[in-house]
Amino acid sequence: MRIKYVYQLLVSHISILLVAFVILSLLFANYVENLVYKNKTDELIEYGQTILAKFEADPRGQIQTLNQYANVLDARKIYFSVFDQHLNLLTPNIGPLESFELTAKEYSQLSNGETVIIRHEGKRFIQEMSVVLLPYIQRGNLLGVIVLYAPVSGTREMISEVNNYLFITVIIALTVSLLLSWFLSKLHVNRIQRIREATSMISSGNYDVHVPFSSFDEIGDLGNDFNEMARKLKNSNEEIESLENRRRQFMADVSHEMRTPLTTISGMIEGLRDDLIPEEEKMKGISLMNQETKRLIRLVNENLDYEKIRSNQVVLTKETFQLQEVLEVIRDHLSIQAEDKNNRIKLDVPKDLLVFADYDRLMQILINITKNSIQFTENGTIWLRGKVGKDLTIIEIEDTGSGINPADIEAIWHRFYKADLSRTSNPYGEFGLGLSIVKKLVQLHDGEIEVESEEGKGTIFTIQLPVK
């Protein structure tokens, strides 16, 4: 059987309160009853001791003393009798008690001068009453006993009235507790319900959820943890979607980039096989197939290279060498490509500036960036600069090309990002892997790379490498 959590909380709270109230009520009722009877017996003892003191002060006026106290005690519904040492009644009876019996222990206590209290006992008396026996001792001998007693009925009426007030108090307290418990239970259940609804939203694929929380209890901590979980799930889902989009783009790029060289190679092979190519064109066709084959190999190697770098399988061999030599090699290596677009490559680097890096990998980094600058620059200038920083070697590659859209600056480091959406011929980084490899290699050098660009005005790549 399914029981709602709010009812479970309510029943548990009320059960605890009910048990607590019952125990407290019983203890309080017992305490009040004992207190009332104690006050009554103390009152009886006080009157009895006063009467005995009068007897000792005025032995001849005992009868007068008894008559005097009889009127006073009768108004308070307290009665007394005087018995001799054999429990024979000596005075005219004032009240319902005419005779009674004592136990040996009680008689021994009286003989020793002790006061005997018989609390609301009805077996030896004609009715249930509180009885106090005070011994009258002279010269160590028991001469008589003064017995004061009061019926229990009046005392019980007072205790019953106290219990009635106590019962009303318990009912009111339970009612207030019930309402308060219901409010708190609903409050906690509503907070849990919000987390449950948010969980259902996440299970349905909606990660834009936020549970209001407060940190003053465990449910608040749960809400905070849930929001953190939802945030991480949202980020993970966005990353998965981004990776999936990149995978689709990668497959599209692979299909397009490989289709062109494979089609060319296939066409040339069929032409050679069927002798459809003139003799003077055969060497040109073979050269074209060779270029397209190298292009395919480069595409595959670039992907393999990226995977090695990403999984930290590349081991760097760092050494110190002059940066100027590296930049001169890059200028000479790429001068023909720059001239094809009417660009100039200029150097601005101190002769004695040293750099601590893996020579081959640094060449790969700088060639990739410089090729990108050449691709997106026409009739412009590409600057290769070297600077000294604080415990750093700073390398800048600046062009005066078309620049990068500010919205695309962060995206250029993505593995499959490709700014050339028209898929024009791109002899370097066909799949947009070039800059992604560059960033990984810079990070392997414990360095940093940044890019600043403005559309129509050019781009600056800044690399910072720590000195040895």
Side-chain angles (χ1 to χ4, degrees), residues 217-235:
D217 62 1
E218 288 78 1
I219 297 179
D221 294 337
L222 176 62
N224 186 26
D225 294 340
F226 182 88
N227 290 333
E228 182 67 17
M229 179 197 70
R231 184 187 64 80
K232 291 182 179 179
L233 286 175
K234 181 180 179 180
N235 293 340

Side-chain angles (χ1 to χ4, degrees), residues 157-176:
E157 289 175 359
M158 184 173 63
I159 294 174
S160 177
E161 186 176 357
V162 171
N163 288 336
N164 289 336
Y165 283 117
L166 180 62
F167 177 76
I168 295 173
T169 303
V170 169
I171 294 298
I172 295 174
L174 281 176
T175 303
V176 174

Side-chain angles (χ1 to χ4, degrees), residues 27 32 96 132 134 166 235 291 404 444 459 463:
L27 292 175
V32 169
V132 174
L134 291 91
L166 180 62
N235 293 340
Q291 291 178 3
I404 304 173
L444 288 176
T459 303
I463 301 171

Side-chain angles (χ1 to χ4, degrees), residues 12 22 59 95 191 203 241 313 327-328 393 397 428 455:
S12 63
V22 169
R191 295 169 69 192
S203 65
E241 290 179 354
Q313 295 180 9
L327 299 183
E328 287 176 348
T393 300
I397 301 174
Y428 50 93
E455 284 189 288

Side-chain angles (χ1 to χ4, degrees), residues 49 65-67 82 88 101 103 119 121 138 177 188 216 218 256 281 291 297 304 318 348 391 409 432 437 444:
Q49 290 176 344
T65 299
L66 292 175
N67 292 332
V82 179
N88 296 317
E101 296 181 357
T103 63
R119 188 172 296 175
E121 183 177 332
Q138 280 191 352
S177 300
H188 293 318
F216 68 88
E218 288 78 1
H256 177 83
E281 297 289 334
Q291 291 178 3
I297 292 173
L304 293 176
K318 295 183 181 181
D348 181 12
D391 298 327
I409 288 181
I437 291 175
L444 288 176

Side-chain angles (χ1 to χ4, degrees), residues 253-319:
D253 288 341
V254 168
S255 300
H256 177 83
E257 300 292 348
M258 288 191 171
R259 184 185 297 115
T260 301
L262 289 174
T263 301
T264 301
I265 294 171
S266 177
M268 293 301 300
I269 291 175
E270 290 179 359
L272 292 173
R273 183 191 64 189
D274 298 334
D275 203 19
L276 299 177
I277 300 177
E279 191 67 31
E280 62 274 11
E281 297 289 334
K282 285 185 178 180
M283 288 305 298
K284 184 178 180 181
I286 292 173
S287 177
L288 179 59
M289 285 192 296
N290 182 51
Q291 291 178 3
E292 295 299 312
T293 302
K294 289 181 178 179
R295 183 181 176 191
L296 288 173
I297 292 173
R298 186 169 59 251
L299 298 178
V300 174
N301 287 340
E302 194 173 52
N303 274 282
L304 293 176
D305 200 19
Y306 178 83
E307 290 300 328
K308 288 181 180 179
I309 294 172
R310 188 182 64 84
S311 57
N312 294 325
Q313 295 180 9
V314 173
V315 178
L316 301 181
T317 304
K318 295 183 181 181
E319 56 183 332

